[in-house]
């Protein structure tokens, strides 16, 4: 019986805390938060491989994003989840840099307007935080709501995107 190939990982210090980047054979599989809830993203065995080409590219793009020099990620992605979750996560990829959408907007976009709570649950399990921009999803009234990285990180990311090009740096 063959064992599953381990996922490669490396850590990246960032303005929102230490991130753990995880890649599989198909592409980037996860961006995990320093204090991520255990089991939020289900992965197999992890092997420290900081020179993995997908991880190096993800690091380069994230650093450019935090510097305000990158607005669209192009690193190959490998989502693992249910068909519904993958549908929600693909919808996240369509939210433009600096824009926000509500859970209701996402539910309508995927053709399931009554699935607002399920969209919220799928959003909460998004394995590719920042890159599949779940931080751009807010409550219907525009309020910041749950985020795996914490509301302070969510606010930081949204502020970073709003201030891009103004020369201002988020507090």
């Amino acid at each position: 019986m063959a064992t599953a190939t381990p996922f490669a990982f490396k850590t990246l210090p960032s303005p929102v805390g230490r991130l753990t980047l995880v890649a599989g054979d198909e592409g980037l599989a996860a961006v995990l938060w320093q204090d991520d809830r255990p089991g939020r993203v289900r992965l197999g065995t992890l092997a420290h491989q900081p020179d993995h080409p997908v991880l190096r590219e993800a690091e380069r793009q994230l650093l450019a994003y935090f510097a305000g020099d990158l607005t669209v990620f192009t690193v190959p992605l490998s989502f693992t989840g249910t068909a519904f979750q993958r549908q929600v996560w693909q919808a996240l990829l369509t939210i433009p840099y600096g824009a926000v959408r509500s859970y209701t907007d996402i539910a309508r976009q995927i053709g399931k307007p009554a699935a607002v709570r399920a969209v919220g649950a799928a959003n909460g399990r998004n394995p590719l935080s920042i890159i599949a921009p779940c931080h751009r999803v807010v409550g219907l009234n525009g309020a910041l709501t749950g985020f795996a990285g914490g509301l302070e990180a969510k606010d930081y990311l949204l502020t970073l995107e709003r201030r891009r090009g103004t020369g201002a740096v988020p507090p």
Side-chain angles (χ1 to χ4, degrees), residues 42-156:
R42 292 189 176 107
L43 297 165
T45 305
L46 299 180
H48 188 244
Q49 295 178 20
D51 290 330
H52 188 286
V54 171
L55 296 177
R56 283 187 315 191
E57 182 58 18
E59 176 182 34
R60 185 191 69 73
Q61 290 184 28
L62 281 163
L63 291 174
Y65 167 83
F66 286 121
D69 297 330
L70 183 117
T71 61
V72 177
F73 292 96
T74 58
V75 64
L77 306 179
S78 178
F79 286 113
T80 301
T82 67
F84 179 81
Q85 287 172 330
R86 289 191 314 272
Q87 190 177 22
V88 169
W89 301 334
Q90 287 296 325
L92 297 177
L93 295 171
T94 69
I95 305 172
Y97 181 93
V100 294
R101 300 287 184 269
S102 71
Y103 297 98
T104 300
D105 293 334
I106 299 296
R108 286 182 185 138
Q109 180 180 341
I110 65 170
K112 296 181 169 87
V116 175
R117 290 178 65 118
V119 164
N123 201 57
R125 288 203 173 267
N126 171 23
L128 288 157
S129 292
I130 304 171
I131 292 174
C134 52
H135 62 278
R136 296 180 191 154
V137 182
V138 298
L140 191 56
N141 63 357
L144 298 187
T145 57
F147 185 59
L151 293 183
E152 188 175 311
K154 184 171 189 164
D155 184 56
Y156 180 94

Side-chain angles (χ1 to χ4, degrees), residues 67-68 160 162-170:
L160 172 72
R162 280 193 306 267
R163 292 187 178 173
R164 180 182 179 267
T166 66
V169 177

